[in-house]
Amino acid sequence: MPTTVKAYVASSPTSELTPGTVERRDPGDFDVQISIKYTGICHSDIHAARGDWASNYPLVVGHEIVGVVEAVGPKVTRHSVGDRVGVGCFVDSCRECVNCRAGEEQYCLQGATSTYNSFGRDGLPTAGGYSTSIVVDENYVVRIPDGIPLPDAAPLLCAGITMYAPLRNWKAGPGKRVAIIGMGGLGHMGVKIAAALGAEVTVLSQSLKKQEDAVRLGANSYYATSEPATFEYLKGQLDLIINTVSADIDVDAYLSLLALDGTMVLVGLPSKPLSQRAWSLVEFRRNLSGSRMGGIRQTQEMLDFCATHGLGADVEVIHASQINEAFERVLASDVRYRFVIDATTF
Ligand code: NAP
Ligand code: ZN
Ligand code: ZN
């Protein structure tokens, strides 16, 4: 018998999220039932709820989920009742393809099952963390290290791993000049993680408003992209740029900041197609790439890395009734730096 639990629900691309319910299956042999404590508000939740991408309604979003295990199926070995755990952007994958076997389940050739707006193996729609409870296969649940407070840990499940994966893949570290475009939820974690990896970190933000914060988070330098001199000054000066911006940007202008063989990695997901000149790449053998979250193994590695370095997200904990207002503030780049919903208020 499925259990009905409280949730906040998007009924259409134009309606506000409202209190409602969602059904959760009984834990199967390998399932973990999690009492959700906090869920982060990722900009992807807004894209999905507002229909920027193809969405199925009614929709319960949320993929930065932390909580405590309240029940486990009979064959579960990885987690126990009472453990602090997290769930990120996907809750299943085929487990057999080359990418799943390599621990890169987010690139599953059959398509990883997204935490929301997807269909599970049971054929039922998945529903995310804007709710009080969730049931997930143990292999897609990670452990939250004791050192990280739960509210600060929630955003690591998407923002943290989405930045950690490209920073590791493109070898951010001492001697590497790394820039993060956009200091929002993803961007602020990018600054913290890149600094902890020992890279030389530059923030490229629309204005100077977040400069003090950027320095506190570990940035070595900070520039306003509204200032044309920024693009003159930094021309050819960077090795790696990670673009977290959720809107269209002038890709050519940013590519011009890369040195020989430098790479720009897109993680932000604007809904419109990009356009950029071939010359921007050809000129200095530059690379343009993209990156999607990270696998389960690397998510656990990221959480352990954050615990070792004393990192968590900078969060503002909100009541569920403030979700719609929080969406507007995220859209206005007015969040420092992640809203996290207290799940006891659903
Ligand atoms: P966010 O908190 O809203 O941060 C985005 C930042 O981009 C803003 O804080 C702002 O930074 C900057 N920005 C916003 N609008 C801009 C504009 N018109 N021009 C220039 N800069 C602008 O969002 P987020 O949660 O970090 O997510 C960012 C994007 O990543 C979203 O598109 C989301 O869907 C995507 N995402 C992708 C993945 C993946 O796996 N690739 C995972 C999670 C999220 P400043 O104020 O510093 O300018
Ligand atoms: Zn996300
Ligand atoms: Zn697979």
Side-chain angles (χ1 to χ4, degrees), residues 93-97 100 108-110:
S93 65
C94 85
R95 310 172 193 212
E96 285 164 1
C97 73
C100 280
C108 175
L109 295 176
Q110 293 187 32

Side-chain angles (χ1 to χ4, degrees), residues 177 234-242 253-265 280-281 283-284 286-288:
R177 297 164 298 176
L234 287 177
K235 201 172 173 58
Q237 296 299 310
L238 299 167
D239 301 308
L240 176 64
I241 299 176
I242 303 187
Y254 290 96
L255 286 171
S256 76
L257 308 185
L258 290 171
L260 180 67
D261 282 325
T263 300
M264 176 163 168
V265 181
S280 302
L281 298 174
E283 187 186 16
F284 286 109
R286 297 176 176 123
N287 307 283
L288 180 60

